[in-house]
Amino acid sequence: MTGLETESLPATLASQLTEEQRQAVAEAPREKRLEVLAAALGRTEAEVLPRLAQAAGLDVASNLETDPDSRGLLPARLVHEYQIIPIRFAEGGAAKNARAPGDSVSSGSAPPLLPAPSSLLPPLHLASAWLPDEVMAQWLRTFTPRPLVWHLAVPERVHQLIIENFGVGSGSLDDSDESYVAPEAQKESVEVVDEDAAVVRFVTDVISQAIEDQATDIHFEPQEGQLRIRYRVDGLLVPVPVPENLLRFQDAIISRLKIMARMNISEKRLPQDGRINFKAHGVVLDIRVSTVPTIYAESISLRLLNQKKEAYTMDRLGMSAGEQAQIRHVLDYPHGIILVTGPTGSGKSTSLNAFLRQINSTDLRIITIEDPIEYEVPGVNQMQVRPEIGLTFADALRHVLRQDPDVIMVGEIRDKDTAEIAIRASLTGHLVFSTLHTNDAPGAITRLVDMGIEPFLVASAIELVIAQRLVRRLCTECARPAPIARVKLLENLAILGCDPAEAEGIDTLKAPVGCDRCRGTGYRGRIGIFEIFRLNDEMHELVLKRESTRTLADCARKHGMRTLGQSGWEKVKAGNTTFDEVLRVITVTEK
């Protein structure tokens, strides 16, 4: 929030709101006002933006490109505070909608006016996330005499361009011009602008931006001559634009993170682990922090866990009706083991959580053993393992069996002890959920045998194995059908192990385009692809004979198991994702 009065809503829109709604819009941060207004009007942001622009006499700028020649005119603090960005604009394209707010400003609320800007100077086109106000215009005129031409734009896109051009947290570390101080800083003591406070704000900005980008991890990586910061978003590492002067603050940033995680800041030679409880914008995060020494400085990784986030159902995971029916059938069993397999970050815990919510009821005692607890499930007894004090998965599972559980979830089977206890639990009348790291579903069977579990125990206990991957979902706003060459289509189907006959009649598939809503990537969010493996009598015999994963997989396919590749093809046909995404996450083996 700026702490300054903003321009009033146009009368045509203000008349449709109650006094409380108008106040809520005025009090929201600039980048959130359109969202609040749209919610109050019961419309989408895409519908409200042009109406707001028309009512205010402005135009809507789309396909924004920043103006690099004008970027240096404005300090990063001001740009962040008012959520504005200089943009390229075709000459004359917005002349009729040019808007310069009036010059009458309350005493003391803005800097003194400069002489009227010269009409000979080229206009400065500015994209704004919200209506411009007088105070904003006066501040801008202290930095440039150019005439100001305003455009409204999608707030997400404006914010993204600010980050790309000035860097995450640049408003906190900006030392290019001390003449502009953000309004909230004006209310605090002069000490707030010192280096320590700037670093505190910067770290908060980086974590807050990661939450906004829906990142799962943040990596601070000291390199030669730079401190690189990367987010993991939708499973991919994304470099984060950073302020040019970031290296100067590197040691202070690392120390700040270690203090927040309650680590020993003087110990720089050994790896350390810690936790941060972080609150921002109503979101409470449990952040797991890990440091390792490198040749330049300590590298720090943060895993962001939002325990209050909205839980996924099987529908939201992307499971088809057939896949859900297969799983629900086994969820009704009184005992047995259900395994979810896949690499780190493939959504295994999310799937197990969805299964727990599916069966959760007052007549079942459900206990989970997790590391870490990623979701809170009402009515379920959840336990956090603590290896540092001897509470491992195996130890916790032994004690849980004395708690009269009906259903047990073990976060991961990491060793023979945990596997043996989980199998024993399933054979003595408990339904057990767990995860395992394997490339495909049949591989879970041979992995357990390799751990030293007897094949007859594995065959008796395992009821269902689900292998899964997460692929990026095409943006629903901008994805468009695009032609695909038949040769390329057949080649991709062959790689995925699909029947070439399935290509009949298909000459277009949806492709990513990129828009303001998906930040130009063409993708927004993720969706799962699944391989469901269930033992029958024939496969039971193969397990007893210690047959290979490939033999089990061939037998399972013969009996109708749909592979990860085939599941991915279904998602491609449905327009949910692309071949490139499916091929990126699937390990293809030569047949």
Side-chain angles (χ1 to χ4, degrees), residues 406-485:
D406 297 295
V407 180
I408 304 169
M409 187 187 96
V410 183
E412 184 182 343
I413 293 179
R414 295 179 178 173
D415 50 44
K416 182 181 178 182
D417 281 351
T418 309
E420 283 182 337
I421 300 167
I423 286 175
R424 194 180 310 134
S426 74
L427 295 176
T428 53
H430 303 88
L431 186 60
V432 180
F433 297 142
S434 193
T435 69
L436 205 59
H437 288 278
T438 62
N439 287 331
D440 57 9
I445 304 297
T446 49
R447 174 84 179 96
L448 289 171
V449 173
D450 288 344
M451 280 185 180
I453 308 300
E454 288 296 329
F456 73 90
L457 290 175
V458 174
S460 301
I462 303 297
E463 293 293 346
L464 196 70
V465 182
I466 305 162
Q468 73 176 64
R469 302 288 188 276
L470 292 177
V471 294
R472 290 187 295 170
R473 189 194 293 264
L474 281 168
C475 174
T476 55
E477 300 280 340
C478 66
R480 297 287 182 271
I484 181 168

Side-chain angles (χ1 to χ4, degrees), residues 482-490 493 499-510 569-570 572-574 579:
I484 181 168
R486 183 162 182 80
V487 173
K488 182 68 174 175
L489 177 58
L490 291 173
L493 288 177
D499 187 350
E502 297 186 41
E504 290 300 326
I506 295 177
D507 52 12
T508 63
L509 292 170
K510 278 195 174 180
W569 167 232
E570 292 296 323
V572 172
K573 278 196 297 185
F579 272 124

Side-chain angles (χ1 to χ4, degrees), residues 2-257:
T2 65
L4 302 170
E5 284 194 7
T6 60
E7 179 176 303
S8 299
L9 273 170
T12 53
L13 292 176
S15 63
Q16 301 176 44
L17 304 178
T18 64
E19 181 59 36
E20 291 78 10
Q21 289 172 328
R22 287 194 292 270
Q23 188 69 19
V25 171
E27 292 179 353
R30 295 186 67 84
E31 64 272 21
K32 297 294 183 184
R33 287 180 189 167
L34 180 66
E35 179 184 333
V36 175
L37 176 61
L41 293 172
R43 304 280 184 176
T44 65
E45 291 183 43
E47 293 172 322
V48 172
L49 182 62
R51 290 176 57 187
L52 177 64
Q54 183 180 16
L58 302 177
D59 73 323
V60 176
S62 58
N63 299 319
L64 301 184
E65 288 186 38
T66 52
D67 181 0
D69 296 331
S70 302
R71 188 183 69 178
L73 296 175
L74 307 178
R77 290 183 190 176
L78 183 143
V79 169
H80 276 274
E81 177 64 25
Y82 290 115
Q83 288 296 296
I84 54 176
I85 189 77
I87 59 170
R88 294 180 187 272
F89 203 78
E91 287 303 320
K96 63 180 183 298
N97 287 329
R99 176 71 181 273
D103 293 335
S104 59
V105 184
S106 302
S107 174
S109 62
L113 289 176
L114 290 176
S118 169
S119 60
L120 299 177
L121 293 172
L124 177 61
H125 291 274
L126 294 162
S128 175
W130 185 250
L131 302 177
D133 61 54
E134 297 176 0
V135 175
M136 182 196 307
Q138 302 305 335
W139 269 116
L140 287 167
R141 286 172 186 156
T142 66
F143 296 103
T144 176
R146 290 167 60 177
L148 307 177
V149 181
W150 296 99
H151 311 268
L152 282 186
V154 175
E156 287 182 11
R157 180 59 176 159
V158 172
H159 185 67
Q160 180 196 13
L161 287 177
I162 292 172
I163 297 301
E164 288 177 359
N165 287 271
F166 292 88
V168 172
S170 52
S172 300
L173 300 184
D174 182 26
D175 55 7
S176 60
D177 196 314
E178 295 297 337
S179 62
Y180 175 76
V181 181
E184 71 271 12
Q186 293 174 347
K187 299 177 183 178
E188 300 173 10
S189 66
V190 177
E191 294 177 359
V192 81
V193 297
D194 69 15
E195 182 173 308
D196 290 342
V199 167
V200 170
R201 290 198 305 271
F202 174 79
V203 171
T204 300
D205 287 347
V206 170
I207 298 175
S208 298
Q209 184 62 41
I211 296 170
E212 192 170 315
D213 289 349
Q214 298 182 335
T216 56
D217 301 85
I218 309 173
H219 301 288
F220 293 81
E221 302 168 315
Q223 307 285 308
E224 184 177 9
Q226 66 169 323
L227 173 60
R228 182 170 67 176
I229 301 177
R230 294 193 289 175
Y231 295 157
R232 188 173 292 280
V233 181
D234 289 341
L236 297 180
L237 278 174
V238 180
V240 177
V242 295
E244 295 177 358
N245 61 344
L246 183 63
L247 188 62
R248 167 186 155 193
F249 298 93
Q250 174 177 293
D251 292 343
I253 289 168
I254 292 172
S255 294
R256 171 61 183 167
L257 288 166

Side-chain angles (χ1 to χ4, degrees), residues 307 309-313 350-361 366 375-378 380 382 433:
Q307 296 178 4
K309 65 184 173 184
E310 182 182 357
Y312 278 68
T313 60
T350 304
S351 292
L352 288 182
N353 180 268
F355 301 159
L356 284 181
R357 289 175 183 270
Q358 179 69 34
I359 64 171
N360 192 10
S361 65
I366 303 175
Y375 297 87
E376 289 184 9
V377 186
V380 172
Q382 296 177 267
F433 297 142

